Amino acid sequence: MWSIKSSNTADTRFVKKTYNRRMVFIMWKKHSLSVFLSLLLTFVSFDSTYAVVNGDSVQFDKWFSPYSGDGGLMKGSDSTYSYLFFGSAKWTANGVSTFDSTDCWEYEARMTNPDDFFRGVRDFVAYVPDAYYEYESGQNPDDNDVTIGSHDPDVITAEKGYSGTLYLEENGSQSDLSSLTLESEYGETDLIYDCVPTEYESFGVGYNTKIDFDND
Amino acid sequence: MKFKLVISAVIVVGLTLCSGFYYNSAFSQSNKEFRTFVGGLPSKETAAKKATHQKERKEMLKRMSEKLPNGNVEATVTFQHFLSLSEVQKLIDKYPSIEIKRVWYWVPGQDGRAMTIVKGRDIKKSVDDAIKRLEKSNHDVNVKETLDKMSKGNLGVFSISVKGKYSHLNEMSNEEVIKLIDVHYNEGLEKQAKEAGKKARYVELPEKPDGSR
């Protein structure tokens, strides 16, 4: 180890500075690969932070999602319809109190153009406060979701079971819908009351496969 | 040595910026939507704000009916109070040129809502068929109780979704039972969406007359 007995002299300061520079250089030269890998790791950790935010992970506080209940995009009891649903969905007292009056909550099924699989909406039934639905179809990448939303999640009653179902008319191509993403999302409303997404968790599922909300 | 340090700094800054850009763009992609709600204001808003909004939207419909009387537009119609199926039928029969697309209904006084596509301009048949369908396909105990009530006649219509000419919709807006005809057109939103090369979207959230959500 380097030691400096008289740290007040100019020579000593020069030696120390030079030593430090040399050490940085040696470290860089000897361990350039390690340094590069560290930097790469930093980048990957940024990336994985994003993945955690959007993924179903115990590290992510999903207060805005139901902690129990189920959901899915299911095949109907006859060949004429499918339905997007969430059922017996309960929120924690903490989750409900964290919503404020400008927040909104959405439950979405994301897929390639919904028109590839459905002919549109047939019926809608929902108990969440100020419930709405959206069926967005088209070639634009934004136009790829079917949604049930609540414009007033802050008045949800904690521990009460809520449900919402959007019935879709089939077009006979549902077998092509092998996988989709379900999202529970919360957002804030802007000046024109649009629900602008803030955070979400997602579940990769198959068509006609139920998911369980398990935000314990 | 300096060169190496500079390179290191550039790499660090570059990677950090890239990851930051990736993170932000992932969210902004989702945010780039030009969407608004129609059918009045959400329940959470004050009565004064709702009244001002209604006035503005009524004036807009009047203005458009003068500027573009034959222009076709979709609209969400809300009522002063819950109407029976026959009352709604009677109302729409007075305006044969206006297409009826959807009907919104529920048990008065209870939170929740249902919507059904209207076929053949027949409100009663569309809702009766829907309730039967929902009873058959329902998987939720709460919905079952509500459906039981509605099938026994405890049901009120609080909104219909229509499509027609601005002039005809403006004429219809004079009906006493109608609170608001909220057309799916917002000049500011359309302008912003057009500038971004996107489509403006209108999500229906019709206001219920009894304040239930």
Side-chain angles (χ1 to χ4, degrees):
Chain A
M1 288 292 290
W2 182 268
S3 64
I4 301 171
K5 289 179 181 172
S6 174
S7 59
N8 292 328
T9 64
D11 284 349
T12 307
R13 281 200 300 273
F14 174 76
V15 169
K16 187 180 178 183
K17 203 171 171 183
T18 306
Y19 167 77
N20 286 342
R21 283 180 178 174
R22 286 188 65 197
M23 281 304 288
V24 169
F25 177 65
I26 290 166
M27 285 295 286
W28 166 253
K29 200 170 179 182
K30 278 189 173 176
H31 305 287
S32 56
L33 182 62
S34 313
V35 171
F36 178 74
L37 288 174
S38 302
L39 291 170
L40 192 63
L41 197 63
T42 306
F43 177 66
V44 171
S45 68
F46 261 101
D47 193 2
S48 60
T49 301
Y50 173 74
V52 167
V53 168
N54 295 298
D56 186 2
S57 163
V58 289
Q59 295 172 49
F60 179 46
D61 177 12
K62 298 169 285 187
W63 60 266
F64 53 88
S65 282
Y67 76 90
S68 74
D70 56 4
L73 178 56
M74 311 300 290
K75 186 158 185 56
S77 56
D78 61 48
S79 60
T80 63
Y81 74 98
S82 294
Y83 60 97
L84 172 69
F85 91 103
F86 60 90
S88 305
K90 294 178 181 177
W91 277 261
T92 62
N94 175 58
V96 170
S97 63
T98 309
F99 282 122
D100 69 33
S101 62
T102 62
D103 288 341
C104 42
W105 175 77
E106 292 190 341
Y107 173 70
E108 299 182 343
R110 294 196 158 275
M111 63 197 86
T112 55
N113 189 353
D115 277 352
D116 291 344
F117 314 105
F118 307 106
R119 287 194 287 142
V121 173
R122 187 174 82 179
D123 305 296
F124 172 57
V125 182
Y127 283 88
V128 280
D130 270 10
Y132 59 89
Y133 74 89
E134 195 176 22
Y135 177 92
E136 269 310 304
S137 58
Q139 298 309 312
N140 189 310
D142 288 344
D143 301 336
N144 60 1
D145 59 281
V146 182
T147 301
I148 299 172
S150 168
H151 217 285
D152 284 337
D154 57 311
V155 296
I156 280 173
T157 303
E159 308 300 339
K160 180 182 168 184
Y162 286 91
S163 66
T165 310
L166 186 63
Y167 294 84
L168 306 164
E169 290 201 60
E170 294 196 350
N171 73 0
S173 305
Q174 293 68 239
S175 56
D176 297 338
L177 182 56
S178 53
S179 65
L180 60 130
T181 303
L182 293 175
E183 286 179 1
S184 164
E185 171 182 299
Y186 103 94
E188 291 173 10
T189 51
D190 62 12
L191 288 173
I192 53 171
Y193 299 98
D194 186 16
C195 180
V196 181
T198 305
E199 283 185 15
Y200 53 97
E201 69 167 321
S202 59
F203 309 82
V205 293
Y207 173 64
N208 207 29
T209 308
K210 282 186 184 175
I211 58 156
D212 289 318
F213 294 112
D214 57 355
N215 186 20
D216 290 326
Chain B
M1 185 181 70
K2 269 186 182 175
F3 177 72
K4 297 262 184 184
L5 285 172
V6 169
I7 292 294
S8 306
V10 168
I11 290 171
V12 170
V13 170
L15 289 175
T16 306
L17 285 176
C18 283
S19 59
F21 175 73
Y22 172 53
Y23 184 86
N24 287 329
S25 64
F27 271 93
S28 60
Q29 280 302 315
S30 187
N31 290 342
K32 277 182 190 168
E33 294 181 345
F34 297 90
R35 189 174 74 154
T36 191
F37 286 79
V38 284
L41 289 187
S43 306
K44 66 183 85 171
E45 288 303 345
T46 61
K49 213 167 177 181
K50 284 178 182 172
T52 306
H53 179 77
Q54 277 172 31
K55 193 175 170 226
E56 284 171 3
R57 298 300 289 167
K58 279 180 183 174
E59 283 169 0
M60 205 278 285
L61 172 59
K62 189 168 184 292
R63 213 167 45 243
M64 289 303 288
S65 70
E66 288 161 2
K67 189 179 164 187
L68 201 63
N70 293 323
N72 268 299
V73 67
E74 284 202 33
T76 305
V77 182
T78 53
F79 301 127
Q80 298 285 5
H81 52 84
F82 281 100
L83 300 183
S84 67
L85 296 173
S86 58
E87 285 173 323
V88 181
Q89 191 66 54
K90 201 173 164 188
L91 173 72
I92 64 171
D93 285 349
K94 287 167 73 176
Y95 301 92
S97 64
I98 295 176
E99 184 187 350
I100 313 301
K101 296 176 84 73
R102 294 173 288 277
V103 56
W104 295 79
Y105 54 97
W106 201 244
V107 177
Q110 287 190 6
D111 285 347
R113 57 188 63 208
M115 182 286 305
T116 285
I117 301 292
V118 176
K119 291 188 174 168
R121 296 183 67 84
D122 193 333
I123 297 277
K124 183 162 173 34
K125 187 173 187 316
S126 299
V127 172
D128 286 348
D129 286 353
I131 291 172
K132 281 179 200 155
R133 253 192 333 258
L134 294 171
E135 282 174 333
K136 199 175 153 192
S137 59
N138 169 55
H139 53 87
D140 188 303
V141 68
N142 295 321
V143 177
K144 190 177 181 315
E145 285 172 16
T146 305
L147 290 173
D148 283 347
K149 287 179 187 170
M150 291 200 290
S151 64
K152 287 172 186 159
N154 188 2
L155 171 157
V157 176
F158 59 92
S159 177
I160 51 173
S161 311
V162 300
K163 187 175 183 181
K165 291 179 177 174
Y166 277 109
S167 56
H168 294 166
L169 293 174
N170 189 48
E171 187 189 337
M172 191 188 193
S173 71
N174 295 320
E175 293 284 346
E176 269 185 27
V177 292
I178 291 178
K179 184 191 277 181
L180 176 65
I181 296 187
D182 202 357
V183 295
H184 299 189
Y185 179 79
N186 179 309
E187 202 167 15
L189 184 73
E190 293 284 348
K191 195 179 166 195
Q192 284 177 33
K194 195 177 175 185
E195 282 169 1
K198 301 261 185 172
K199 186 177 70 174
R201 287 153 54 183
Y202 299 89
V203 180
E204 292 186 297
L205 181 53
E207 194 181 332
K208 291 168 78 177
D210 60 353
S212 63
R213 303 185 190 216

